[in-house]
């Protein structure tokens, strides 16, 4: 059995996937992606290629077709087993066939089987999906075209042979172009890859195109960040139903997509909670040793996570409780149960955090979560869980179900670190845990994003959320989205709903979101016209179908013990009707041309997906020695591989490379200052340092003097990183106020002179 995973054939010929073309159309916050994969069989016998690739976790795959020679065949969505049988029958009888299916374990991995390409033949496959773009900490909308399919760590240990395919050997090229349009001007588009300059298509700058600079090797995720002016406006899009579908069905009726951005009263927002139980869960699997991005120069994922934990621990409010768990193949915790936050417990945990390496093997996230949930909650200390992982797990659905089951007792904030983090896992944790998800890739600093999440965690929880509709007579509404469980200031909440019935042309509807915040009832309203928008195609319908399918799949998993066939049947029905894939259906296309039976055995090739640092990307799929006319084959299982363990570099090597002792890299001055702060919020001066910093005329309390100096330094030199240190500065200010020191004004003046700054007292908040 060949063991090179279809990277090269027996004749050392390159694999059949030649190139990938991607066109992206972004309308406001919805993206439609069309990918074309071009294959060519250069061998002298018929080929079956299997290509396993990632897609964004909440994508709705809505079109799949193949062109062979002059002939185009469009795939249909069918129940999965039926589709597989049709694929096998087609190959057995000498027809070409294509099968696209979603992985059972994780909704962001698909496998594509290209059946029986005759020698010398080319095929081009077109795949289309729609997805919503998430809002980032800096208000950018993030689109990611995943290239990196890291091997997902499988807890159950089924064996699949995997060989490395270094990214440099990925033989196919990528061309990528994007068109962006929105009611508001596009201010900029950024990317982790080189882009040609943004081209505006109109004077209002509400439409623009951008493309990847030529020569991009598709060896890493392509990430685009799109910024609009004034992005936080609530909007409603009503999309007309499909003319051919019958009224009353999801595809036959109009569907509305609402984007809500709740605004909370300022008074509530400025009072930061001073309680809570903060549980930090850090991934220490081998892959966390990888660099943050592709440049290899950057600090490792685990290093970045350690720095972030430092900032988090310093920013916690006095009076709260906390604990830190870390996991790999097994898990550890710093304290047997959450402890009260104090100088002593903070110091002890920071010491332990500094020693944490990526040395715990695989990614068993389920066990530590079960352990955390088994601990009883502390009265009046709402539990907030922060999960840091590079997201390479195979049991995504199980993990998300566990979080959902416990969503009544906590909020879960998730952080996907580095390229290839599973969007299905990271988004799923936050969505089901009523929290917020962040993705942190190469050039991003983790700190601002994590501090934004901490600010969200300190915001009072929004409770009693209800959505009410006011529609004209004759129009009724069916909400397709699951109920909203969490609202955060300035973050988008989406609602999809089907509108049934007729209304007069000029009619408008109104939706009201009511909720209670820190004991105050509040509401936000949005009025919208029921007249369908022009030519949006069926994008909104497909996203709505996807939303409905995902919640039904979740329900089906929860009821699995009760033999409930009804839910599964409904998923298949919605999926087939809307043409959007689900876990129970697949896309099947058969070329019913005048095929003669394929001669000779089919050779099966597994097409590599690019991978970082030689981590395997191509997946050896369990064997099928398929001959023409023989029956069904073993169906492929997705890779179930162990993560590579972290390798340590011998110190002698380090010395040679850098010519220095293997010391830690010099610490960022901001983090250095932060690490000296006490849990209460103040800083302390050594007498020696006090002397060096110049004596003030009166005998000043040294902690007051040190704390004022630290605040001046932060405002004077680190104002651009203010979102990172804002919370710990607030803590320092409230500590200072509590001291009632008389000489604050003199200290601020002296501190400015000493540090060469000019920071006013009121800017410091004193």
């Amino acid at each position: 059995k060949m063991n090179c995973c279809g990277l090269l054939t027996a004749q050392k010929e390159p694999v059949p996937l030649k190139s990938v073309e991607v066109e992206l159309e972004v309308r406001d916050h919805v993206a439609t992606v069309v990918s074309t994969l071009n294959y060519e069989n250069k061998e002298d016998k018929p080929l079956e290629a299997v290509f396993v690739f990632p897609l964004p976790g909440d994508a709705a795959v809505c079109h799949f077709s193949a062109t062979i020679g002059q002939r185009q065949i469009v795939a249909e969505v069918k129940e999965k087993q039926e589709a597989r049988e049709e694929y096998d029958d087609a190959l057995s009888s000498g027809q070409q066939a294509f099968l696209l299916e979603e992985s059972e374990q994780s909704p962001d991995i698909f496998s594509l089987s290209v059946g029986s390409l005759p020698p010398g033949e080319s095929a081009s496959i077109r795949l289309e999906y729609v997805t919503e773009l998430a809002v980032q900490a800096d208000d950018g909308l993030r689109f990611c075209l995943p290239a990196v399919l890291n091997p997902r760590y499988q807890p159950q240990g089924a064996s699949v042979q995997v060989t490395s395919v270094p990214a440099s050997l990925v033989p196919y090229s990528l061309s990528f172009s994007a068109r962006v349009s929105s009611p508001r001007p596009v201010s900029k588009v950024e990317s982790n890859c080189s882009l040609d300059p943004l081209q505006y298509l109109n004077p209002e700058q509400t439409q623009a195109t951008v493309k990847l600079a030529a020569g991009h090797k598709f060896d890493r995720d392509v990430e685009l960040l799109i910024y609009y002016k004034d992005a936080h406006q609530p909007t409603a899009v009503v999309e007309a139903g499909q003319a051919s579908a019958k009224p009353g069905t999801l595809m036959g009726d109009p569907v509305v997509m609402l984007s809500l951005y709740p605004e909370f009263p300022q008074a509530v927002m400025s009072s930061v909670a001073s309680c809570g139980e903060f549980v930090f869960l850090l991934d220490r699997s081998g892959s966390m040793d990888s660099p943050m991005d592709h440049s290899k120069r950057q600090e490792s994922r685990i290093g970045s996570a350690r720095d972030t934990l430092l900032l988090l621990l310093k920013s916690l409010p006095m009076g709260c409780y906390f604990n830190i768990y870390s996991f790999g193949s097994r898990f550890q915790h710093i304290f047997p149960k959450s402890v009260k936050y104090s100088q002593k417990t903070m110091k002890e945990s920071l010491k332990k955090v500094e020693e944490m390496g990526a040395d715990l093997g695989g990614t068993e996230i389920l066990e530590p979560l079960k352990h955390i949930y088994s601990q009883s909650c502390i009265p009046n200390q709402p539990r907030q869980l922060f999960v840091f992982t590079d997201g390479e797990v195979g049991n995504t659905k199980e993990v998300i179900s566990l979080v959902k089951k416990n969503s009544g007792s906590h909020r879960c904030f998730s952080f996907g670190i580095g390229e290839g983090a599973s969007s299905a896992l990271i988004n799923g944790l936050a969505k089901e845990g009523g929290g917020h998800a962040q993705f942190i890739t190469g050039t991003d600093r983790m700190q601002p994003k994590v501090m934004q999440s901490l600010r969200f965690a300190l915001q009072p929880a929004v409770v009693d959320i209800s959505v009410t509709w006011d529609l004209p007579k004759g129009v009724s509404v069916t909400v397709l989205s699951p109920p909203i469980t969490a609202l955060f200031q300035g973050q988008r909440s989406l609602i999809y709903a089907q509108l049934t019935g007729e209304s007069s042309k000029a009619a408008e509807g109104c939706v009201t979101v009511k909720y209670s915040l820190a004991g105050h009832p509040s509401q936000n309203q949005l009025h919208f016209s029921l007249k369908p928008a022009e030519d949006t195609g069926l994008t909104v319908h497909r996203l709505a179908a996807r939303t409905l399918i995902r919640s039904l799949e979740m329900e089906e998993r929860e009821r699995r013990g009760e033999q409930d066939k009804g839910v599964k049947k409904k998923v298949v029905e919605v999926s087939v009707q809307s043409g959007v894939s689900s876990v129970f259906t697949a896309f099947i296309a058969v070329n019913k041309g005048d095929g003669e039976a394929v001669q000779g055995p089919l050779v099966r090739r597994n097409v590599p997906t690019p991978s970082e640092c030689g981590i395997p990307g191509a997946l050896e799929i369990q064997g099928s020695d398929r001959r023409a006319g023989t029956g069904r084959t073993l169906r492929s299982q997705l890779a179930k591989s162990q993560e590579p363990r972290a390798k340590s570099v011998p110190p002698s090597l380090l010395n040679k490379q850098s010519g220095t002792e293997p010391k830690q890299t010099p610490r960022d001055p901001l983090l250095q200052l932060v690490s000296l702060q006490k849990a209460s919020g103040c800083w302390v001066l050594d007498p020696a340092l006090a002397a060096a910093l110049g004596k003030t005329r009166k005998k000043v309390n040294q902690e007051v003097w040190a704390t004022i100096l630290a605040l001046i330094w932060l405002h004077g030199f680190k104002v651009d990183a203010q979102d990172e240190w804002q919370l710990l500065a607030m803590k320092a200010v409230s500590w200072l106020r509590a001291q009632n020191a008389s000489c604050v004004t003199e200290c601020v003046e002296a501190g400015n002179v000493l540090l060469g700054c000019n920071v006013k007292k009121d800017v410091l908040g004193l």
Side-chain angles (χ1 to χ4, degrees):
K1 184 165 169 153
M2 276 174 51
N3 195 19
C4 63
C5 266
L7 174 68
L8 300 170
T9 62
Q11 293 76 34
K12 299 277 181 279
E13 288 285 311
V15 351
L17 182 64
K18 281 204 326 195
S19 63
V20 179
E21 294 156 33
V22 177
E23 290 168 39
L24 164 70
E25 171 151 12
V26 177
R27 292 187 178 206
D28 214 2
H29 60 84
V30 171
T32 303
V33 185
V34 178
S35 296
T36 310
L37 308 167
N38 298 308
Y39 287 88
E40 183 179 358
N41 181 7
K42 292 188 173 163
E43 301 202 22
D44 50 10
K45 38 186 163 329
L47 253 193
E48 180 187 18
V50 176
F51 183 46
V52 177
F53 57 96
L55 285 183
D58 43 11
V61 177
C62 53
H63 172 91
F64 174 60
S65 60
T67 306
I68 302 171
Q70 298 304 301
R71 194 184 172 106
Q72 192 198 27
I73 39 177
V74 176
E76 291 173 77
V77 176
K78 297 197 173 169
E79 190 278 325
K80 203 175 243 182
Q81 200 46 47
E82 194 187 323
R84 288 171 172 177
E85 288 175 9
E86 195 174 320
Y87 177 78
D88 288 336
D89 288 345
L91 292 206
S92 306
S93 59
Q95 294 171 322
Q96 289 155 330
F98 301 85
L99 180 72
L100 178 76
E101 50 186 330
E102 192 180 298
S103 142
E104 309 279 340
Q105 283 84 26
S106 188
D108 57 352
I109 298 183
F110 282 76
S111 70
L112 167 62
S113 306
V114 177
S116 177
L117 266 188
E121 185 76 85
S122 299
S124 110
I125 283 171
R126 181 185 159 101
L127 175 75
E128 188 177 322
Y129 62 87
V130 285
T131 184
E132 300 148 358
L133 303 185
V135 188
Q136 298 297 285
D138 59 0
D139 294 342
L141 292 179
R142 175 179 186 264
F143 169 76
C144 179
L145 182 70
V148 181
L149 178 56
N150 291 326
R152 300 292 162 97
Y153 175 81
Q154 285 298 122
Q156 301 84 14
S159 70
V160 170
Q161 284 183 296
V162 179
T163 9
S164 299
V165 180
S168 58
L169 293 181
V170 171
Y172 44 88
S173 60
L174 167 76
S175 68
F176 176 90
S177 63
R179 182 189 166 108
V180 181
S181 60
S182 162
R184 294 170 284 282
V186 180
S187 48
K188 58 176 178 175
V189 176
E190 295 177 347
S191 174
N192 61 335
C193 306
S194 353
L195 297 175
D196 288 345
L198 189 66
Q199 305 278 325
Y200 287 109
L201 303 179
N202 61 356
E204 300 77 43
Q205 302 196 340
T206 55
Q207 293 182 9
T209 57
V210 66
K211 53 179 198 284
L212 221 48
H216 177 77
K217 272 273 176 252
F218 196 13
D219 56 357
R220 59 180 137 154
D221 291 0
V222 177
E223 191 178 51
L224 278 195
L225 293 167
I226 299 162
Y227 297 86
Y228 298 123
K229 292 198 169 72
D230 192 19
H232 290 268
Q233 294 304 313
T235 54
V237 176
V238 177
E239 181 179 83
Q242 201 172 6
S244 57
K246 72 173 199 280
T249 61
L250 171 61
M251 297 309 281
D253 279 345
V255 168
V256 59
M257 171 175 68
L258 299 172
S259 319
L260 305 170
Y261 293 90
E263 281 300 318
F264 298 162
Q266 195 44 54
V268 180
M269 291 310 300
S270 53
S271 66
V272 173
S274 58
C275 59
E277 178 197 4
F278 295 87
V279 182
F280 303 107
L281 178 56
L282 176 64
D283 187 340
R284 287 172 59 190
S285 60
S287 55
M288 286 288 287
D289 233 5
S290 319
M292 279 297 287
D293 80 349
H294 220 73
S295 67
K296 310 278 185 278
R297 293 186 300 275
Q298 285 224 318
E299 72 176 323
S300 65
R301 296 171 185 178
I302 190 86
S304 195
R306 280 195 301 258
D307 286 350
T308 305
L309 272 175
L310 164 72
L311 268 175
L312 278 167
L313 283 169
K314 294 289 183 174
S315 302
L316 291 180
M318 287 299 274
C320 76
Y321 285 73
F322 78 105
N323 200 356
I324 299 173
Y325 285 72
S326 56
F327 68 93
S329 303
R330 55 184 201 285
F331 71 89
Q332 300 175 349
H333 41 65
I334 291 186
F335 305 106
K337 57 184 219 267
S338 294
V339 294
K340 198 161 179 149
Y341 177 72
S342 67
Q343 180 59 24
K344 181 172 167 294
T345 54
M346 180 189 83
K347 206 170 154 191
E348 189 180 336
S349 42
L350 279 173
K351 195 163 165 295
K352 296 250 172 68
V353 167
E354 293 209 322
E355 294 158 7
M356 287 181 178
D359 49 10
L360 292 183
T363 313
E364 292 277 6
I365 196 168
L366 210 55
E367 291 313 307
L369 279 175
K370 284 180 179 163
H371 187 269
I372 290 167
Y373 294 140
S374 71
Q375 307 270 324
S376 49
C377 290
I378 305 165
N380 303 323
Q381 302 281 353
R383 183 173 284 170
Q384 315 270 6
L385 174 62
F386 283 64
V387 181
F388 297 86
T389 176
D390 53 11
E392 298 168 15
V393 299
N395 56 344
T396 300
K397 291 185 175 176
E398 230 182 316
V399 172
I400 291 171
S401 291
L402 181 67
V403 171
K404 181 174 182 172
K405 212 169 86 195
N406 291 280
S407 60
S409 63
H410 79 306
R411 287 198 282 190
C412 179
F413 295 85
S414 57
F415 305 89
I417 301 177
E419 291 189 355
S422 156
S423 59
L425 176 71
I426 305 305
N427 288 329
L429 287 172
K431 193 171 174 185
E432 298 306 338
H436 185 257
Q438 306 266 16
F439 288 86
I440 297 143
T441 51
T443 48
D444 302 358
R445 285 183 55 118
M446 200 184 294
Q447 286 83 348
K449 293 194 166 185
V450 176
M451 297 317 288
Q452 182 194 40
S453 291
L454 179 60
R455 283 196 290 277
F456 285 158
L458 292 169
Q459 278 179 21
V462 173
V463 292
D464 302 332
I465 304 170
S466 69
V467 177
T468 49
W469 299 77
D470 183 10
L471 296 167
K473 211 170 132 93
V475 181
S476 64
V477 65
T478 310
V479 178
L480 305 166
S481 307
I484 298 177
T485 52
L487 286 176
F488 294 105
Q489 167 75 21
Q491 286 297 304
R492 183 180 71 216
S493 294
L494 279 177
I495 301 178
Y496 293 96
Q498 176 181 343
L499 302 170
T500 308
E502 282 292 318
S503 68
S504 61
K505 289 287 171 271
E508 77 162 14
C510 170
V511 69
T512 308
V513 182
K514 296 185 172 151
Y515 49 88
S516 173
L517 184 67
H520 303 285
S522 267
Q523 65 172 45
N524 289 158
Q525 252 185 4
L526 176 64
H527 291 267
F528 60 94
S529 156
L530 291 178
K531 184 176 181 288
E534 293 295 304
D535 76 328
T536 54
L538 287 169
T539 310
V540 172
H541 279 74
R542 284 166 175 157
L543 286 169
R546 177 54 156 186
T547 304
L548 182 58
I549 287 168
R550 281 286 175 250
S551 20
L552 287 168
E553 286 173 349
M554 195 73 154
E555 195 182 324
E556 195 273 341
R557 274 203 304 286
E558 286 163 8
R559 292 189 182 183
R560 201 161 270 175
E562 304 164 24
Q563 287 306 304
D564 181 45
K565 292 279 185 292
V567 180
K568 181 172 174 177
K569 193 169 152 239
K570 178 125 202 247
V571 172
V572 172
E573 207 175 286
V574 175
S575 174
V576 169
Q577 187 204 342
S578 62
V580 168
S581 73
S582 74
V583 74
F584 303 124
T585 51
F587 279 95
I588 171 79
V590 176
N591 185 359
K592 300 214 163 66
D594 40 342
E596 295 168 27
V598 176
Q599 300 307 304
L602 272 180
V603 186
R604 186 154 197 177
R605 291 282 170 265
N606 300 298
V607 181
T609 52
S611 57
E612 302 194 273
C613 345
I615 293 173
L619 309 174
E620 177 78 64
I621 309 272
Q622 285 163 0
S624 75
D625 177 14
R626 183 188 275 150
R627 289 190 170 67
T630 61
R632 316 256 176 266
T633 57
L634 277 172
R635 212 11 86 181
S636 59
Q637 287 277 324
L638 284 178
K640 296 183 164 67
S641 58
Q642 296 287 352
E643 289 203 1
R645 289 188 178 262
K647 297 183 185 64
S648 54
V649 183
S652 56
L653 258 179
L654 283 173
N655 293 349
K656 281 196 196 81
Q657 285 167 347
S658 56
T660 57
E661 284 305 295
K663 267 308 226 205
Q664 285 229 300
T665 44
R667 194 134 205 204
D668 171 338
L670 171 59
L671 294 177
Q672 208 168 334
L673 179 79
V674 168
S675 64
L676 297 170
Q677 189 185 24
K678 293 272 181 272
S680 62
C682 73
W683 275 264
V684 178
L685 275 182
D686 310 326
L689 190 58
L693 287 176
K695 302 169 189 60
T696 43
R697 265 162 259 149
K698 292 200 185 96
K699 183 107 180 77
V700 173
N701 169 329
Q702 291 190 347
E703 289 179 352
V704 170
W705 172 225
T707 305
I708 287 173
L709 274 178
L711 284 170
I712 292 172
W713 187 86
L714 288 171
H715 283 277
F717 298 109
K718 289 290 167 188
V719 77
D720 54 337
Q722 189 158 3
D723 46 6
E724 300 178 32
W725 50 259
Q726 195 174 15
L727 287 170
L728 54 91
M730 278 162 69
K731 193 156 82 162
V733 169
S734 41
W735 178 86
L736 275 170
R737 287 197 185 125
Q739 305 312 303
N740 276 327
S742 52
C743 56
V744 169
T745 313
E746 288 168 272
C747 285
V748 172
E749 283 168 11
N752 273 313
V753 169
L754 186 69
L755 295 173
C757 296
N758 185 16
V759 181
K760 301 277 184 283
K761 194 168 104 174
D762 56 344
V763 171
L764 296 174
L766 296 171

